[in-house]
Amino acid sequence: MEFDQLRYFLALSTRENFTRTAAELGISQPALSRSIQKLEEELGQPLFDRRARAVTLTDAGQLLQSRARQVLTLVDETKAEISDDGRSGRIRIGAIPTIAPYFLPELLGRFAEEFPGASVIVREQTTDLLLKAITQGEVDLAVVALPFPAKYIEIEELFAEELFLVLPPGHDLIQKTSIRLTDIEPLPFVLLDEAHCLSDNIVSFCRNRNFHPVSVERTSQLAMVQELVALSHGISMIPAMARDVDGSGRRVYRSLSGKKPTRTIAAVWNPYRFQSRLLEAFKDRLRVYAAEKATRHGDG
C-alpha cells in the first residue's frame, strides 16, 4: 500500500467520479482505475460501489477513508515538522464564502511577497464543512464568522464589522436622513441560503428586536444577493468588507440608526495538531491585517 494510492483513494471518495477525480489529480483515468483496483486487490475487499456516473464508498471503503486520513495527516505533519524552517513549506487556509473573496486576496498577496518559498492552499467552504476539515487536519486554519457550535477548536476573535443595509438605486429609503429597523420591517429581503451563517447573523439581529425579515429569495452567492437587490427584488444586509469592494454604483449602502447589526470574524485552528513555524508566521500576519480592517471599520 503506497501513499499515492491512499491520496488517490481519498480524492475519489470525495468527488465520487473517476473522470473528475483523474482530471483534478492530473493523471489519466485508466491510471486512477488501476491504482484503486490494486488497492482493492491488496485489501481483498471492494472499496467502491460502481454506478453509471458515480461511485460510493462500501463499508470497507468508509473504514479505509477514516484510516487513510489519519495516516496521511500524520505523514504530512511529520514531514512539515522535520523540514520546518519557518520560511517555506505548505499551509492550508480556509474561509467561508462571505469572507474569502473580500478578505483573503490582499492578505495572501502580502504573505506571498514576504514568504516566497511558502505554498498556501485555499479552501472556500461553509462553516460546518470547514470546522470538520479543521478537526480532521485537512485545513490548518480557517477564517469564519461567529457564533458556531464547536469543541476542541481554538478560536481567536479578530474584529467585528458592520452589516450595511443595501438598497436598489431610487429606493424611497435612500432619501431618509436615518433609517430605523422599523422602516425596513415590511420590506422583502434577499438572503443567502441557510447553509451560510451570514443569514443567521441578519435573522438573529432582527429577531432580537422583535422583527422577522420576510425572505422572498435565497441564493448561495453574496454577489447574487447584491445583484438581485440592484434589480429591485428586495433589500438585504451586506458585510462592510463586501461593500468596500463594490464599485459598481448599482447599489446604495446605508448604515442603520441605533444599534448596528454586526458580525464577528474569527480565526480557528486545531490546537491538537502540529502548528508549524510557517503557520505561526501566517497567524501573526493575519492578526496585523485584521487589526487594520478593524481600524478601517471603526472597531477597536
Side-chain angles (χ1 to χ4, degrees):
M1 188 180 301
E2 299 176 356
F3 292 140
D4 279 347
Q5 286 179 307
L6 294 180
R7 296 188 194 281
Y8 294 167
F9 162 77
L10 283 179
L12 181 59
S13 70
T14 300
R15 294 161 184 80
E16 299 184 337
N17 180 280
F18 274 94
T19 302
R20 288 198 302 268
T21 303
E24 292 187 23
L25 291 172
I27 62 176
S28 67
Q29 184 173 333
L32 175 60
S33 297
R34 286 194 299 271
S35 177
I36 299 300
Q37 184 178 356
K38 288 180 180 179
L39 193 57
E40 290 177 324
E41 290 174 353
E42 181 177 350
L43 296 173
Q45 293 279 351
L47 300 173
F48 294 96
D49 286 324
R50 291 161 171 80
R51 301 174 184 175
R53 295 187 177 181
V55 295
T56 56
L57 288 171
T58 62
D59 290 343
Q62 291 176 3
L63 177 60
L64 180 61
Q65 184 186 52
S66 174
R67 297 293 191 271
R69 281 175 175 156
Q70 295 173 1
V71 168
L72 293 178
T73 295
L74 182 60
V75 169
D76 289 343
E77 289 181 353
T78 301
K79 287 181 179 179
E81 191 166 0
I82 291 173
S83 60
D84 186 17
D85 62 2
R87 303 294 304 178
S88 62
R90 183 188 70 172
I91 54 176
R92 301 159 299 179
I93 306 300
I96 58 176
T98 58
I99 291 178
Y102 313 107
F103 183 81
L104 287 185
E106 184 178 351
L107 172 63
L108 295 179
R110 292 184 187 183
F111 192 76
E113 287 184 6
E114 188 176 355
F115 297 86
S119 172
V120 181
I121 298 172
V122 178
R123 179 184 294 192
E124 180 182 306
Q125 286 182 321
T126 55
T127 302
D128 56 340
L129 293 177
L130 283 178
L131 294 179
K132 183 178 180 181
I134 288 284
T135 301
Q136 295 176 341
E138 297 172 359
V139 169
D140 298 311
L141 178 146
V143 184
V144 297
L146 299 178
F148 55 79
K151 294 182 178 180
Y152 315 117
I153 290 179
E154 189 79 18
I155 302 172
E156 180 176 328
E157 292 188 13
L158 297 174
F159 65 97
E161 67 168 347
E162 183 178 350
L163 303 181
F164 285 86
L165 184 68
V166 57
L167 304 161
H171 196 282
D172 292 342
L173 287 180
I174 295 174
Q175 306 304 320
K176 292 180 68 70
T177 55
S178 65
I179 302 176
R180 295 179 171 81
L181 200 60
T182 53
D183 294 325
I184 65 174
E185 184 170 357
L187 302 178
F189 268 71
V190 180
L191 297 173
L192 288 169
D193 61 39
E194 295 178 354
H196 296 271
C197 58
L198 178 61
S199 291
D200 292 335
N201 293 134
I202 296 170
V203 172
S204 295
F205 173 80
C206 295
R207 280 178 176 169
N208 289 338
R209 285 148 188 84
N210 299 316
F211 156 44
H212 187 83
V214 178
S215 174
V216 292
E217 293 191 55
R218 283 186 179 264
T219 179
S220 61
Q221 298 292 329
L222 191 55
M224 182 55 71
V225 170
Q226 293 169 295
E227 186 63 24
L228 290 172
V229 169
L231 295 172
S232 299
H233 285 233
I235 64 172
S236 193
M237 293 183 188
I238 297 294
M241 63 175 70
R243 178 207 62 168
D244 291 347
V245 299
D246 184 3
S248 68
R250 300 179 61 241
R251 292 162 283 271
V252 177
Y253 296 88
R254 294 287 300 275
S255 181
L256 283 171
S257 62
K259 185 174 177 58
K260 313 295 185 186
T262 62
R263 68 171 180 173
T264 300
I265 309 302
V268 297
W269 62 88
N270 188 337
Y272 303 100
R273 298 281 182 182
F274 169 65
Q275 308 287 302
S276 70
R277 292 168 60 194
L278 185 65
L279 180 60
E280 293 298 336
F282 184 85
K283 289 179 187 176
D284 289 340
R285 276 62 179 180
L286 171 61
R287 293 180 183 109
V288 171
Y289 183 64
E292 293 176 9
K293 286 284 188 181
T295 301
R296 192 178 308 168
H297 297 311
D299 177 62

